[in-house]
Amino acid sequence: MTQHQRSLESIQRYYGEVLQSSDDLQTSACCIGATPPRHVADALGHVHDEVKARFYGCGSPIPPTMKDVHVLDLGCGAGRDCYVLSQLVGANGSVIGVDMTKEQLAVARKHRDYHAKKFGFANVEFREGFIEDLRTARISDESADVVISNCVLNLSPDKTSAFGEIFRALKKGGELYFSDVFADRRIPPDVAIDPVLRGECLGGALYWEDFRRLIAAVGCRDVRTVERRRVAINNPDLEHKTGLIEFYSVTIRAFKLDLEDRCEDYGQAAVYNGTIPEAPNAFDLDDHHRFVAHKAVPVCGNTADMLSLSRYAPHFEIIGDKSIHFGLFDCGSPPTPTVGNAAAPIKCC
Ligand SMILES: C[S@@+](CC[C@H](N)C(=O)[O-])C[C@H]1O[C@@H](n2cnc3c(N)ncnc32)[C@H](O)[C@@H]1O
C-alpha cells in the first residue's frame, strides 16, 4: 500500500469510525463557530438533526445568489451544506456531494427523501469518490458552476491533483468557494503524520504561500480571502505538539478565469446594481473589496474580470476596458481585525 492510500484510509477511519458526531472532535479546528449569513441560517433550520450532528466543517462556504446554479460539494460528509444548497439553488439547480467515506455518505443518503419532501423537489445526489480524481465520482469536465468544500482539502495527501480536478470540473467563469484550515508556516513531518492532528484538520493544513503557488500552478493566479479566523485548539496535548504554529480557518474565493498574477490598472471601475437578493446594500467580493450599491469603485483588471465574466455579471456594470494600461494597481489591504481571536491580515491580491 502506498503512503497516499495509507493516508486516505486513516482519514476514512477517522470520519467513518472514530467520530460519530461533532461532540467527538478533540479540537475546535472543525466546527469553528462562524455565524452564517441569515439566508444560510434559515436554510439550516430545515436540515435534519442527524445530518447537522455530523457536521465537521470549519466555515460557511456558501456564496450568494445561488438560484438555478449547479454545485459540486467536495468532501460533503453527511451532507449538511448540500441540503442547505439544495434549498438555495432550487428545483432548477442541482447539488452533487462527493465523499470517500461510506459511513458519512450513508447518513447523507438516509435523509434524501426527508429533504426532498420538505423542499418539494429532489436535486441532491451523493457520489462516492476521491477529490484527487473526480472521475471516480463521474464528474465531467466543465460541469459545475460553483465548487464548494468545507474543511476537506487540508486532508488530501495530493492537493495538487485535488485543485487540478476542481478547475477541470468548473465551467469557464465558474467559482471555487471553500473554507479550510491554513497554517502560518509549513507543518513539520512529525505533526503532519500524527493521525489525530491530521484527522482534526491541523496536520495537513495548507501554508498560505504554498497554497498560492500550488493554485497558480493549476492555472489560478489570483485568489481572494473572504474571511479569516484564528483557530483555538483548546486541547493541551495537541497544543504542545503543534507548538508555535498558528492555524486559521479561511474562506477563499477563486474563479476559473485567465487572470494576471498581479493587480494591473486599466483605469476600470465597477458599479454594483444592488440586485443580489441577500446583499441589497453591498456586495463583498473579498475582505478588502466591498461594493456599495450604486457607487463606482476603481478596480484592477482581475477584479473587473471576476465581476464581469462570472455569474456575478448581471449584478455589475464595468466602466472602461483594458485598452490602456496605467501600471500596477494598488488593490489595498484587508481591514486590520479588531475582534479578539481574529488574525493579522494576509495580503493576497
Ligand atoms: C472535516 S470533514 C468535513 C465534512 C463536510 N464537508 C462537513 O462540513 O461536515 C472531511 C470530509 O472529507 C472527506 N474526505 C477527506 N479526504 C477526502 C478525499 N481525498 N476524497 C474524498 N473525500 C474526502 C472525509 O471522508 C470527510 O467526510
Side-chain angles (χ1 to χ4, degrees), residues 182-184 206-209 211-212 223-229 248-252 286-288 332-337 343-349:
F182 286 76
D184 69 345
L206 299 123
Y207 166 51
W208 177 265
E209 296 301 328
F211 162 66
R212 196 178 48 71
V223 285
R224 303 294 176 91
T225 299
V226 178
E227 200 184 4
R228 196 169 97 118
R229 301 167 162 264
Y248 301 91
S249 164
V250 186
T251 299
I252 303 283
D286 56 43
D287 59 4
H288 57 298
S333 301
T336 307
I346 299 177
K347 180 122 166 40
C348 69
C349 160

PDB file of all heavy atoms in Angstrom, residues 182-184 206-209 211-212 223-229 248-252 286-288 332-337 343-349:
ATOM      1  N   PHE A 182      -5.717  26.737   7.373  1.00  0.00           N
ATOM      2  CA  PHE A 182      -4.405  27.156   6.869  1.00  0.00           C
ATOM      3  C   PHE A 182      -3.470  27.342   8.058  1.00  0.00           C
ATOM      4  O   PHE A 182      -3.913  27.575   9.183  1.00  0.00           O
ATOM      5  CB  PHE A 182      -4.522  28.476   6.098  1.00  0.00           C
ATOM      6  CG  PHE A 182      -5.149  28.317   4.737  1.00  0.00           C
ATOM      7  CD1 PHE A 182      -6.519  28.132   4.604  1.00  0.00           C
ATOM      8  CD2 PHE A 182      -4.373  28.330   3.594  1.00  0.00           C
ATOM      9  CE1 PHE A 182      -7.096  27.969   3.353  1.00  0.00           C
ATOM     10  CE2 PHE A 182      -4.938  28.166   2.336  1.00  0.00           C
ATOM     11  CZ  PHE A 182      -6.300  27.992   2.217  1.00  0.00           C
ATOM     12  N   ALA A 183      -2.165  27.248   7.792  1.00  0.00           N
ATOM     13  CA  ALA A 183      -1.175  27.441   8.855  1.00  0.00           C
ATOM     14  C   ALA A 183      -0.251  28.586   8.477  1.00  0.00           C
ATOM     15  O   ALA A 183      -0.102  28.912   7.296  1.00  0.00           O
ATOM     16  CB  ALA A 183      -0.369  26.154   9.035  1.00  0.00           C
ATOM     17  N   ASP A 184       0.385  29.165   9.495  1.00  0.00           N
ATOM     18  CA  ASP A 184       1.267  30.308   9.208  1.00  0.00           C
ATOM     19  C   ASP A 184       2.671  29.860   8.818  1.00  0.00           C
ATOM     20  O   ASP A 184       3.557  30.681   8.644  1.00  0.00           O
ATOM     21  CB  ASP A 184       1.332  31.260  10.412  1.00  0.00           C
ATOM     22  CG  ASP A 184       2.056  30.659  11.602  1.00  0.00           C
ATOM     23  OD1 ASP A 184       2.276  29.427  11.632  1.00  0.00           O
ATOM     24  OD2 ASP A 184       2.422  31.422  12.508  1.00  0.00           O
ATOM     25  N   LEU A 206      -2.808  23.826   5.071  1.00  0.00           N
ATOM     26  CA  LEU A 206      -2.027  24.427   3.991  1.00  0.00           C
ATOM     27  C   LEU A 206      -1.294  25.664   4.498  1.00  0.00           C
ATOM     28  O   LEU A 206      -1.894  26.504   5.168  1.00  0.00           O
ATOM     29  CB  LEU A 206      -2.969  24.859   2.875  1.00  0.00           C
ATOM     30  CG  LEU A 206      -3.788  23.765   2.215  1.00  0.00           C
ATOM     31  CD1 LEU A 206      -5.277  24.058   2.298  1.00  0.00           C
ATOM     32  CD2 LEU A 206      -3.383  23.674   0.767  1.00  0.00           C
ATOM     33  N   TYR A 207      -0.044  25.784   4.162  1.00  0.00           N
ATOM     34  CA  TYR A 207       0.709  27.026   4.406  1.00  0.00           C
ATOM     35  C   TYR A 207       0.340  27.983   3.275  1.00  0.00           C
ATOM     36  O   TYR A 207       0.412  27.629   2.090  1.00  0.00           O
ATOM     37  CB  TYR A 207       2.206  26.715   4.423  1.00  0.00           C
ATOM     38  CG  TYR A 207       3.100  27.925   4.326  1.00  0.00           C
ATOM     39  CD1 TYR A 207       2.922  29.017   5.171  1.00  0.00           C
ATOM     40  CD2 TYR A 207       4.134  27.980   3.394  1.00  0.00           C
ATOM     41  CE1 TYR A 207       3.732  30.129   5.069  1.00  0.00           C
ATOM     42  CE2 TYR A 207       4.961  29.083   3.298  1.00  0.00           C
ATOM     43  CZ  TYR A 207       4.736  30.162   4.126  1.00  0.00           C
ATOM     44  OH  TYR A 207       5.529  31.263   4.032  1.00  0.00           O
ATOM     45  N   TRP A 208      -0.105  29.193   3.648  1.00  0.00           N
ATOM     46  CA  TRP A 208      -0.696  30.109   2.665  1.00  0.00           C
ATOM     47  C   TRP A 208       0.153  30.268   1.401  1.00  0.00           C
ATOM     48  O   TRP A 208      -0.343  30.176   0.283  1.00  0.00           O
ATOM     49  CB  TRP A 208      -0.958  31.487   3.299  1.00  0.00           C
ATOM     50  CG  TRP A 208      -1.487  32.417   2.257  1.00  0.00           C
ATOM     51  CD1 TRP A 208      -0.779  33.298   1.501  1.00  0.00           C
ATOM     52  CD2 TRP A 208      -2.840  32.477   1.775  1.00  0.00           C
ATOM     53  NE1 TRP A 208      -1.599  33.924   0.598  1.00  0.00           N
ATOM     54  CE2 TRP A 208      -2.866  33.437   0.735  1.00  0.00           C
ATOM     55  CE3 TRP A 208      -4.021  31.815   2.124  1.00  0.00           C
ATOM     56  CZ2 TRP A 208      -4.022  33.762   0.046  1.00  0.00           C
ATOM     57  CZ3 TRP A 208      -5.175  32.139   1.431  1.00  0.00           C
ATOM     58  CH2 TRP A 208      -5.167  33.084   0.412  1.00  0.00           C
ATOM     59  N   GLU A 209       1.450  30.512   1.573  1.00  0.00           N
ATOM     60  CA  GLU A 209       2.286  30.806   0.400  1.00  0.00           C
ATOM     61  C   GLU A 209       2.395  29.584  -0.518  1.00  0.00           C
ATOM     62  O   GLU A 209       2.426  29.712  -1.741  1.00  0.00           O
ATOM     63  CB  GLU A 209       3.676  31.296   0.826  1.00  0.00           C
ATOM     64  CG  GLU A 209       3.650  32.619   1.576  1.00  0.00           C
ATOM     65  CD  GLU A 209       3.027  33.764   0.766  1.00  0.00           C
ATOM     66  OE1 GLU A 209       3.151  33.769  -0.467  1.00  0.00           O
ATOM     67  OE2 GLU A 209       2.390  34.636   1.393  1.00  0.00           O
ATOM     68  N   PHE A 211       0.083  27.302  -0.780  1.00  0.00           N
ATOM     69  CA  PHE A 211      -1.237  27.205  -1.409  1.00  0.00           C
ATOM     70  C   PHE A 211      -1.310  28.138  -2.629  1.00  0.00           C
ATOM     71  O   PHE A 211      -1.765  27.756  -3.706  1.00  0.00           O
ATOM     72  CB  PHE A 211      -2.327  27.566  -0.402  1.00  0.00           C
ATOM     73  CG  PHE A 211      -3.647  27.913  -1.036  1.00  0.00           C
ATOM     74  CD1 PHE A 211      -4.397  26.957  -1.724  1.00  0.00           C
ATOM     75  CD2 PHE A 211      -4.148  29.205  -0.987  1.00  0.00           C
ATOM     76  CE1 PHE A 211      -5.593  27.280  -2.341  1.00  0.00           C
ATOM     77  CE2 PHE A 211      -5.342  29.537  -1.597  1.00  0.00           C
ATOM     78  CZ  PHE A 211      -6.066  28.583  -2.269  1.00  0.00           C
ATOM     79  N   ARG A 212      -0.837  29.378  -2.433  1.00  0.00           N
ATOM     80  CA  ARG A 212      -0.875  30.369  -3.512  1.00  0.00           C
ATOM     81  C   ARG A 212      -0.081  29.860  -4.727  1.00  0.00           C
ATOM     82  O   ARG A 212      -0.513  29.969  -5.862  1.00  0.00           O
ATOM     83  CB  ARG A 212      -0.268  31.673  -2.977  1.00  0.00           C
ATOM     84  CG  ARG A 212      -0.543  32.900  -3.761  1.00  0.00           C
ATOM     85  CD  ARG A 212       0.079  34.121  -3.084  1.00  0.00           C
ATOM     86  NE  ARG A 212       1.469  33.946  -2.686  1.00  0.00           N
ATOM     87  CZ  ARG A 212       2.507  33.876  -3.510  1.00  0.00           C
ATOM     88  NH1 ARG A 212       2.304  33.956  -4.792  1.00  0.00           N
ATOM     89  NH2 ARG A 212       3.740  33.705  -3.047  1.00  0.00           N
ATOM     90  N   VAL A 223      -6.205  34.532  -6.134  1.00  0.00           N
ATOM     91  CA  VAL A 223      -7.227  34.009  -5.215  1.00  0.00           C
ATOM     92  C   VAL A 223      -7.518  35.087  -4.178  1.00  0.00           C
ATOM     93  O   VAL A 223      -6.637  35.850  -3.811  1.00  0.00           O
ATOM     94  CB  VAL A 223      -6.795  32.717  -4.479  1.00  0.00           C
ATOM     95  CG1 VAL A 223      -6.837  31.531  -5.376  1.00  0.00           C
ATOM     96  CG2 VAL A 223      -5.449  32.877  -3.826  1.00  0.00           C
ATOM     97  N   ARG A 224      -8.749  35.097  -3.685  1.00  0.00           N
ATOM     98  CA  ARG A 224      -9.143  36.138  -2.740  1.00  0.00           C
ATOM     99  C   ARG A 224      -9.582  35.523  -1.409  1.00  0.00           C
ATOM    100  O   ARG A 224     -10.329  34.543  -1.388  1.00  0.00           O
ATOM    101  CB  ARG A 224     -10.299  36.972  -3.322  1.00  0.00           C
ATOM    102  CG  ARG A 224      -9.973  37.611  -4.689  1.00  0.00           C
ATOM    103  CD  ARG A 224      -8.867  38.651  -4.563  1.00  0.00           C
ATOM    104  NE  ARG A 224      -8.468  39.205  -5.853  1.00  0.00           N
ATOM    105  CZ  ARG A 224      -9.009  40.288  -6.401  1.00  0.00           C
ATOM    106  NH1 ARG A 224     -10.000  40.919  -5.795  1.00  0.00           N
ATOM    107  NH2 ARG A 224      -8.552  40.727  -7.559  1.00  0.00           N
ATOM    108  N   THR A 225      -9.130  36.145  -0.325  1.00  0.00           N
ATOM    109  CA  THR A 225      -9.577  35.745   1.014  1.00  0.00           C
ATOM    110  C   THR A 225     -10.866  36.493   1.329  1.00  0.00           C
ATOM    111  O   THR A 225     -10.901  37.720   1.263  1.00  0.00           O
ATOM    112  CB  THR A 225      -8.514  36.122   2.062  1.00  0.00           C
ATOM    113  OG1 THR A 225      -7.313  35.439   1.751  1.00  0.00           O
ATOM    114  CG2 THR A 225      -8.952  35.731   3.465  1.00  0.00           C
ATOM    115  N   VAL A 226     -11.895  35.733   1.685  1.00  0.00           N
ATOM    116  CA  VAL A 226     -13.171  36.361   2.036  1.00  0.00           C
ATOM    117  C   VAL A 226     -13.222  36.596   3.543  1.00  0.00           C
ATOM    118  O   VAL A 226     -13.641  37.641   4.017  1.00  0.00           O
ATOM    119  CB  VAL A 226     -14.354  35.460   1.602  1.00  0.00           C
ATOM    120  CG1 VAL A 226     -15.688  36.071   1.999  1.00  0.00           C
ATOM    121  CG2 VAL A 226     -14.319  35.232   0.094  1.00  0.00           C
ATOM    122  N   GLU A 227     -12.766  35.601   4.305  1.00  0.00           N
ATOM    123  CA  GLU A 227     -12.845  35.689   5.762  1.00  0.00           C
ATOM    124  C   GLU A 227     -11.744  34.856   6.379  1.00  0.00           C
ATOM    125  O   GLU A 227     -11.358  33.838   5.808  1.00  0.00           O
ATOM    126  CB  GLU A 227     -14.207  35.142   6.198  1.00  0.00           C
ATOM    127  CG  GLU A 227     -14.599  35.599   7.563  1.00  0.00           C
ATOM    128  CD  GLU A 227     -15.916  34.989   8.041  1.00  0.00           C
ATOM    129  OE1 GLU A 227     -16.485  34.149   7.325  1.00  0.00           O
ATOM    130  OE2 GLU A 227     -16.323  35.352   9.149  1.00  0.00           O
ATOM    131  N   ARG A 228     -11.256  35.286   7.559  1.00  0.00           N
ATOM    132  CA  ARG A 228     -10.183  34.541   8.197  1.00  0.00           C
ATOM    133  C   ARG A 228     -10.333  34.642   9.707  1.00  0.00           C
ATOM    134  O   ARG A 228     -10.525  35.728  10.257  1.00  0.00           O
ATOM    135  CB  ARG A 228      -8.849  35.157   7.780  1.00  0.00           C
ATOM    136  CG  ARG A 228      -7.653  34.291   8.032  1.00  0.00           C
ATOM    137  CD  ARG A 228      -6.469  34.910   7.342  1.00  0.00           C
ATOM    138  NE  ARG A 228      -5.677  35.706   8.250  1.00  0.00           N
ATOM    139  CZ  ARG A 228      -4.399  35.451   8.548  1.00  0.00           C
ATOM    140  NH1 ARG A 228      -3.800  34.419   8.002  1.00  0.00           N
ATOM    141  NH2 ARG A 228      -3.738  36.230   9.349  1.00  0.00           N
ATOM    142  N   ARG A 229     -10.267  33.488  10.397  1.00  0.00           N
ATOM    143  CA  ARG A 229     -10.367  33.490  11.854  1.00  0.00           C
ATOM    144  C   ARG A 229      -9.307  32.582  12.423  1.00  0.00           C
ATOM    145  O   ARG A 229      -9.044  31.509  11.868  1.00  0.00           O
ATOM    146  CB  ARG A 229     -11.686  32.870  12.328  1.00  0.00           C
ATOM    147  CG  ARG A 229     -12.870  33.543  11.842  1.00  0.00           C
ATOM    148  CD  ARG A 229     -14.101  32.699  12.088  1.00  0.00           C
ATOM    149  NE  ARG A 229     -15.235  33.595  11.974  1.00  0.00           N
ATOM    150  CZ  ARG A 229     -15.803  34.179  13.001  1.00  0.00           C
ATOM    151  NH1 ARG A 229     -15.448  33.888  14.233  1.00  0.00           N
ATOM    152  NH2 ARG A 229     -16.783  35.027  12.817  1.00  0.00           N
ATOM    153  N   TYR A 248      -5.506  28.930  11.036  1.00  0.00           N
ATOM    154  CA  TYR A 248      -6.600  29.837  10.695  1.00  0.00           C
ATOM    155  C   TYR A 248      -7.633  29.091   9.872  1.00  0.00           C
ATOM    156  O   TYR A 248      -7.275  28.277   9.025  1.00  0.00           O
ATOM    157  CB  TYR A 248      -6.088  31.014   9.848  1.00  0.00           C
ATOM    158  CG  TYR A 248      -5.022  31.801  10.566  1.00  0.00           C
ATOM    159  CD1 TYR A 248      -3.675  31.471  10.409  1.00  0.00           C
ATOM    160  CD2 TYR A 248      -5.371  32.820  11.426  1.00  0.00           C
ATOM    161  CE1 TYR A 248      -2.693  32.156  11.094  1.00  0.00           C
ATOM    162  CE2 TYR A 248      -4.396  33.519  12.122  1.00  0.00           C
ATOM    163  CZ  TYR A 248      -3.057  33.181  11.950  1.00  0.00           C
ATOM    164  OH  TYR A 248      -2.091  33.860  12.639  1.00  0.00           O
ATOM    165  N   SER A 249      -8.878  29.395  10.136  1.00  0.00           N
ATOM    166  CA  SER A 249      -9.929  28.932   9.234  1.00  0.00           C
ATOM    167  C   SER A 249     -10.151  30.058   8.224  1.00  0.00           C
ATOM    168  O   SER A 249     -10.435  31.193   8.614  1.00  0.00           O
ATOM    169  CB  SER A 249     -11.206  28.677  10.020  1.00  0.00           C
ATOM    170  OG  SER A 249     -12.274  28.606   9.116  1.00  0.00           O
ATOM    171  N   VAL A 250      -9.984  29.747   6.957  1.00  0.00           N
ATOM    172  CA  VAL A 250     -10.040  30.790   5.930  1.00  0.00           C
ATOM    173  C   VAL A 250     -11.080  30.405   4.869  1.00  0.00           C
ATOM    174  O   VAL A 250     -11.166  29.238   4.479  1.00  0.00           O
ATOM    175  CB  VAL A 250      -8.652  30.960   5.248  1.00  0.00           C
ATOM    176  CG1 VAL A 250      -8.669  32.145   4.291  1.00  0.00           C
ATOM    177  CG2 VAL A 250      -7.546  31.144   6.279  1.00  0.00           C
ATOM    178  N   THR A 251     -11.862  31.381   4.467  1.00  0.00           N
ATOM    179  CA  THR A 251     -12.779  31.155   3.341  1.00  0.00           C
ATOM    180  C   THR A 251     -12.208  31.883   2.125  1.00  0.00           C
ATOM    181  O   THR A 251     -11.871  33.064   2.197  1.00  0.00           O
ATOM    182  CB  THR A 251     -14.200  31.641   3.673  1.00  0.00           C
ATOM    183  OG1 THR A 251     -14.677  30.891   4.790  1.00  0.00           O
ATOM    184  CG2 THR A 251     -15.154  31.433   2.496  1.00  0.00           C
ATOM    185  N   ILE A 252     -12.097  31.124   1.048  1.00  0.00           N
ATOM    186  CA  ILE A 252     -11.412  31.582  -0.165  1.00  0.00           C
ATOM    187  C   ILE A 252     -12.381  31.618  -1.341  1.00  0.00           C
ATOM    188  O   ILE A 252     -13.237  30.733  -1.452  1.00  0.00           O
ATOM    189  CB  ILE A 252     -10.295  30.569  -0.540  1.00  0.00           C
ATOM    190  CG1 ILE A 252      -9.296  30.374   0.591  1.00  0.00           C
ATOM    191  CG2 ILE A 252      -9.631  30.911  -1.860  1.00  0.00           C
ATOM    192  CD1 ILE A 252      -8.321  31.484   0.730  1.00  0.00           C
ATOM    193  N   ASP A 286     -14.326  40.191  -1.418  1.00  0.00           N
ATOM    194  CA  ASP A 286     -13.313  39.602  -0.531  1.00  0.00           C
ATOM    195  C   ASP A 286     -13.158  40.520   0.670  1.00  0.00           C
ATOM    196  O   ASP A 286     -13.972  41.430   0.857  1.00  0.00           O
ATOM    197  CB  ASP A 286     -11.990  39.379  -1.297  1.00  0.00           C
ATOM    198  CG  ASP A 286     -11.460  40.651  -1.931  1.00  0.00           C
ATOM    199  OD1 ASP A 286     -11.509  41.695  -1.255  1.00  0.00           O
ATOM    200  OD2 ASP A 286     -11.004  40.610  -3.095  1.00  0.00           O
ATOM    201  N   ASP A 287     -12.105  40.282   1.468  1.00  0.00           N
ATOM    202  CA  ASP A 287     -12.012  41.029   2.724  1.00  0.00           C
ATOM    203  C   ASP A 287     -11.555  42.481   2.552  1.00  0.00           C
ATOM    204  O   ASP A 287     -11.462  43.213   3.534  1.00  0.00           O
ATOM    205  CB  ASP A 287     -11.102  40.297   3.725  1.00  0.00           C
ATOM    206  CG  ASP A 287      -9.698  40.081   3.195  1.00  0.00           C
ATOM    207  OD1 ASP A 287      -9.382  40.562   2.086  1.00  0.00           O
ATOM    208  OD2 ASP A 287      -8.906  39.415   3.894  1.00  0.00           O
ATOM    209  N   HIS A 288     -11.280  42.894   1.319  1.00  0.00           N
ATOM    210  CA  HIS A 288     -10.972  44.307   1.128  1.00  0.00           C
ATOM    211  C   HIS A 288     -11.575  44.894  -0.142  1.00  0.00           C
ATOM    212  O   HIS A 288     -11.106  45.905  -0.642  1.00  0.00           O
ATOM    213  CB  HIS A 288      -9.468  44.566   1.212  1.00  0.00           C
ATOM    214  CG  HIS A 288      -8.649  43.774   0.232  1.00  0.00           C
ATOM    215  ND1 HIS A 288      -8.594  42.409   0.240  1.00  0.00           N
ATOM    216  CD2 HIS A 288      -7.862  44.169  -0.784  1.00  0.00           C
ATOM    217  CE1 HIS A 288      -7.796  41.995  -0.720  1.00  0.00           C
ATOM    218  NE2 HIS A 288      -7.341  43.042  -1.359  1.00  0.00           N
ATOM    219  N   GLY A 332      -5.112  47.555  -2.295  1.00  0.00           N
ATOM    220  CA  GLY A 332      -5.451  47.822  -0.890  1.00  0.00           C
ATOM    221  C   GLY A 332      -5.196  46.622  -0.012  1.00  0.00           C
ATOM    222  O   GLY A 332      -4.725  45.580  -0.467  1.00  0.00           O
ATOM    223  N   SER A 333      -5.507  46.780   1.266  1.00  0.00           N
ATOM    224  CA  SER A 333      -5.277  45.711   2.233  1.00  0.00           C
ATOM    225  C   SER A 333      -6.577  45.391   2.937  1.00  0.00           C
ATOM    226  O   SER A 333      -7.443  46.251   3.050  1.00  0.00           O
ATOM    227  CB  SER A 333      -4.282  46.168   3.303  1.00  0.00           C
ATOM    228  OG  SER A 333      -3.087  46.533   2.686  1.00  0.00           O
ATOM    229  N   PRO A 334      -6.678  44.159   3.436  1.00  0.00           N
ATOM    230  CA  PRO A 334      -7.846  43.849   4.248  1.00  0.00           C
ATOM    231  C   PRO A 334      -7.829  44.694   5.512  1.00  0.00           C
ATOM    232  O   PRO A 334      -6.767  45.115   5.960  1.00  0.00           O
ATOM    233  CB  PRO A 334      -7.676  42.361   4.576  1.00  0.00           C
ATOM    234  CG  PRO A 334      -6.272  42.041   4.276  1.00  0.00           C
ATOM    235  CD  PRO A 334      -5.769  43.045   3.302  1.00  0.00           C
ATOM    236  N   PRO A 335      -8.992  44.961   6.098  1.00  0.00           N
ATOM    237  CA  PRO A 335      -9.014  45.769   7.311  1.00  0.00           C
ATOM    238  C   PRO A 335      -8.271  45.085   8.443  1.00  0.00           C
ATOM    239  O   PRO A 335      -8.273  43.863   8.533  1.00  0.00           O
ATOM    240  CB  PRO A 335     -10.509  45.868   7.641  1.00  0.00           C
ATOM    241  CG  PRO A 335     -11.136  44.738   6.910  1.00  0.00           C
ATOM    242  CD  PRO A 335     -10.301  44.450   5.717  1.00  0.00           C
ATOM    243  N   THR A 336      -7.625  45.856   9.309  1.00  0.00           N
ATOM    244  CA  THR A 336      -6.972  45.261  10.479  1.00  0.00           C
ATOM    245  C   THR A 336      -8.062  44.798  11.426  1.00  0.00           C
ATOM    246  O   THR A 336      -8.929  45.582  11.797  1.00  0.00           O
ATOM    247  CB  THR A 336      -6.087  46.297  11.188  1.00  0.00           C
ATOM    248  OG1 THR A 336      -5.219  46.828  10.201  1.00  0.00           O
ATOM    249  CG2 THR A 336      -5.298  45.675  12.309  1.00  0.00           C
ATOM    250  N   PRO A 337      -8.037  43.502  11.792  1.00  0.00           N
ATOM    251  CA  PRO A 337      -9.129  42.999  12.613  1.00  0.00           C
ATOM    252  C   PRO A 337      -9.114  43.588  14.018  1.00  0.00           C
ATOM    253  O   PRO A 337      -8.057  43.861  14.577  1.00  0.00           O
ATOM    254  CB  PRO A 337      -8.889  41.495  12.669  1.00  0.00           C
ATOM    255  CG  PRO A 337      -7.593  41.251  12.055  1.00  0.00           C
ATOM    256  CD  PRO A 337      -7.037  42.512  11.507  1.00  0.00           C
ATOM    257  N   ALA A 343      -7.115  37.190  13.062  1.00  0.00           N
ATOM    258  CA  ALA A 343      -5.685  37.137  12.773  1.00  0.00           C
ATOM    259  C   ALA A 343      -5.225  38.394  12.070  1.00  0.00           C
ATOM    260  O   ALA A 343      -6.021  39.168  11.562  1.00  0.00           O
ATOM    261  CB  ALA A 343      -5.448  35.948  11.854  1.00  0.00           C
ATOM    262  N   ALA A 344      -3.926  38.584  12.040  1.00  0.00           N
ATOM    263  CA  ALA A 344      -3.382  39.684  11.256  1.00  0.00           C
ATOM    264  C   ALA A 344      -3.695  39.434   9.789  1.00  0.00           C
ATOM    265  O   ALA A 344      -3.836  38.292   9.375  1.00  0.00           O
ATOM    266  CB  ALA A 344      -1.874  39.726  11.454  1.00  0.00           C
ATOM    267  N   PRO A 345      -3.853  40.492   9.002  1.00  0.00           N
ATOM    268  CA  PRO A 345      -4.290  40.281   7.622  1.00  0.00           C
ATOM    269  C   PRO A 345      -3.268  39.579   6.749  1.00  0.00           C
ATOM    270  O   PRO A 345      -2.067  39.736   6.962  1.00  0.00           O
ATOM    271  CB  PRO A 345      -4.547  41.707   7.126  1.00  0.00           C
ATOM    272  CG  PRO A 345      -3.837  42.604   8.053  1.00  0.00           C
ATOM    273  CD  PRO A 345      -3.656  41.896   9.348  1.00  0.00           C
ATOM    274  N   ILE A 346      -3.769  38.810   5.791  1.00  0.00           N
ATOM    275  CA  ILE A 346      -2.898  38.261   4.753  1.00  0.00           C
ATOM    276  C   ILE A 346      -3.183  39.103   3.517  1.00  0.00           C
ATOM    277  O   ILE A 346      -4.335  39.277   3.144  1.00  0.00           O
ATOM    278  CB  ILE A 346      -3.305  36.816   4.384  1.00  0.00           C
ATOM    279  CG1 ILE A 346      -3.196  35.883   5.554  1.00  0.00           C
ATOM    280  CG2 ILE A 346      -2.512  36.304   3.221  1.00  0.00           C
ATOM    281  CD1 ILE A 346      -3.678  34.464   5.221  1.00  0.00           C
ATOM    282  N   LYS A 347      -2.184  39.602   2.881  1.00  0.00           N
ATOM    283  CA  LYS A 347      -2.415  40.348   1.640  1.00  0.00           C
ATOM    284  C   LYS A 347      -2.375  39.349   0.499  1.00  0.00           C
ATOM    285  O   LYS A 347      -1.412  38.613   0.348  1.00  0.00           O
ATOM    286  CB  LYS A 347      -1.326  41.413   1.479  1.00  0.00           C
ATOM    287  CG  LYS A 347      -1.499  42.229   0.224  1.00  0.00           C
ATOM    288  CD  LYS A 347      -1.622  43.699   0.566  1.00  0.00           C
ATOM    289  CE  LYS A 347      -1.467  44.598  -0.640  1.00  0.00           C
ATOM    290  NZ  LYS A 347      -2.076  44.181  -1.860  1.00  0.00           N
ATOM    291  N   CYS A 348      -3.440  39.251  -0.252  1.00  0.00           N
ATOM    292  CA  CYS A 348      -3.466  38.163  -1.232  1.00  0.00           C
ATOM    293  C   CYS A 348      -3.839  38.653  -2.601  1.00  0.00           C
ATOM    294  O   CYS A 348      -4.224  37.899  -3.450  1.00  0.00           O
ATOM    295  CB  CYS A 348      -4.470  37.095  -0.804  1.00  0.00           C
ATOM    296  SG  CYS A 348      -6.119  37.669  -0.899  1.00  0.00           S
ATOM    297  N   CYS A 349      -3.828  39.933  -2.831  1.00  0.00           N
ATOM    298  CA  CYS A 349      -4.294  40.403  -4.131  1.00  0.00           C
ATOM    299  C   CYS A 349      -3.217  41.258  -4.769  1.00  0.00           C
ATOM    300  O   CYS A 349      -2.526  41.963  -4.095  1.00  0.00           O
ATOM    301  CB  CYS A 349      -5.570  41.171  -3.916  1.00  0.00           C
ATOM    302  SG  CYS A 349      -5.973  42.262  -5.220  1.00  0.00           S
TER     303      CYS A 349
END
